[in-house]
Amino acid sequence: MNAERPNGRGTGDEVADLARRAGQLAGWAARTGFALGRRLPGVETAERGVRQVERQLLAELRRRLDEVDDPYHAALTAASAMNRPAVPGKVEAAVTIVPARDNHAEPLRAAMAELLNHSIGFGRERAREYFYAIILRQLTPDEARILSALSDGSPFPVVDVVERTGIGSSGRVALRNASTVGKSAGVSLPDQVPGYVTRLIGLGLVDLDEEVPSLETQYEILLTDETVRDAEKHVKRAKYVRRTIHISRLGAQFWQACDPSFG
């Protein structure tokens, strides 16, 4: 059974509306930021203002998603409600709670029950929106920028810095997934790009592929990156493993659903 708010709208619909609205607002902020950067003095000040808007929008969306869609949060809320005196005339949201020892609800089991309850009433479209909302909630603003840069399907170079231990062999990895995509996307924390790329790969939004020879110039630029140069200091003899990243099939579908320039 799906929990309903007093106005009758389901939580899944509310999340989808929030995602669409935040996407439209973020798109407006991005377009406005580019326009300000081209036309007005004080470009850096304008960009900082736009970044602040982006952070506020994403923070608010993440907060609302946490409140609405997190089954663990819903389970804890419902468990607390069980221990409160009933208020005459007030209808509480229906959530399945699994009793445990000493008549206390186990939040993890209750959270799973909440997810199973959601699945009963979800059709294909609702399930897809819920899935995309969960992914969206996990992204940082910088990761959203990287995904935007990859959204046209273009590959970007990636380099791992590993320790060379012998003829043709490699040792420990000092740095994984350094890439020029962060600079192209204009991220706020360039030194975190390897972590961003690794997370996006882990979420299935980005695919790692073989080296592309036509990107030789970009590989050379990447080897001069401060993060790469710093990793070199932590190995005796550095070896560079070259690969590329590009948006995955899931990433393309996700971007099409969330692209703030549409809708």
Side-chain angles (χ1 to χ4, degrees):
M1 182 180 297
N2 290 332
E4 296 280 341
R5 291 197 178 276
N7 63 7
R9 297 190 61 194
T11 57
D13 289 337
E14 190 172 75
V15 169
D17 287 345
L18 278 169
R20 280 192 289 267
R21 285 163 49 202
Q24 290 167 359
L25 288 171
W28 168 85
R31 290 192 296 272
T32 302
F34 296 146
L36 287 171
R38 286 195 297 266
R39 300 175 187 175
L40 299 178
V43 175
E44 292 185 1
T45 301
E47 288 181 348
R48 283 197 297 270
V50 172
R51 293 286 180 88
Q52 181 64 24
V53 172
E54 288 179 341
R55 284 192 291 269
Q56 289 173 348
L57 289 169
L58 286 169
E60 175 62 14
L61 175 61
R62 188 171 289 111
R63 184 184 69 80
R64 294 292 298 277
L65 284 170
D66 284 340
E67 289 180 354
V68 173
D69 253 337
D70 188 337
Y72 191 78
H73 175 87
L76 289 177
T77 302
S80 297
M82 289 180 65
N83 297 322
R84 293 198 304 266
V87 178
K90 183 177 180 180
V91 179
E92 296 288 349
V95 178
T96 301
I97 298 296
V98 180
R101 302 180 189 88
D102 303 323
N103 293 322
H104 288 110
E106 293 188 32
L108 290 176
R109 298 182 189 279
M112 179 59 73
E114 176 71 6
L115 283 177
L116 293 173
N117 286 341
H118 273 310
S119 72
I120 295 172
F122 271 17
R124 186 179 180 85
E125 291 305 314
R126 284 283 301 282
R128 181 181 291 110
E129 287 178 347
Y130 190 98
F131 178 46
Y132 289 165
I134 293 298
I135 293 175
L136 186 63
R137 187 174 63 190
Q138 298 178 69
L139 296 180
T140 68
D142 275 351
E143 289 167 348
R145 282 181 170 269
I146 290 175
L147 196 62
S148 176
L150 293 168
S151 63
D152 64 357
S154 300
F156 280 82
V158 168
V159 163
D160 293 349
V161 180
V162 301
E163 188 168 30
R164 190 188 302 272
T165 58
I167 299 176
S169 61
S170 301
R172 66 184 180 86
V173 179
L175 179 66
R176 194 183 303 277
N177 296 330
S179 177
T180 59
V181 70
K183 189 168 294 185
S184 179
V187 299
S188 299
L189 299 175
D191 58 318
Q192 297 301 318
V193 169
Y196 292 151
V197 171
T198 300
R199 274 173 41 85
L200 290 170
I201 292 172
L203 288 170
L205 301 176
V206 170
D207 281 340
L208 199 60
D209 215 332
E210 299 298 321
E211 175 184 357
V212 174
S214 62
L215 298 178
E216 177 61 29
T217 300
Q218 290 195 47
Y219 281 113
E220 294 299 327
I221 293 174
L222 180 56
L223 292 181
T224 67
D225 185 88
E226 184 177 346
T227 305
V228 175
R229 298 298 296 272
D230 183 64
E232 293 172 355
K233 300 174 184 177
H234 295 82
V235 295
K236 292 182 179 179
R237 292 189 301 162
K239 176 182 177 180
Y240 308 100
V241 180
R242 297 184 176 190
R243 287 175 291 188
T244 58
I245 53 168
H246 57 83
I247 196 165
S248 67
R249 182 171 178 270
L250 171 60
Q253 294 170 341
F254 172 76
W255 183 257
Q256 184 178 15
C258 301
D259 186 351
S261 63
F262 292 93

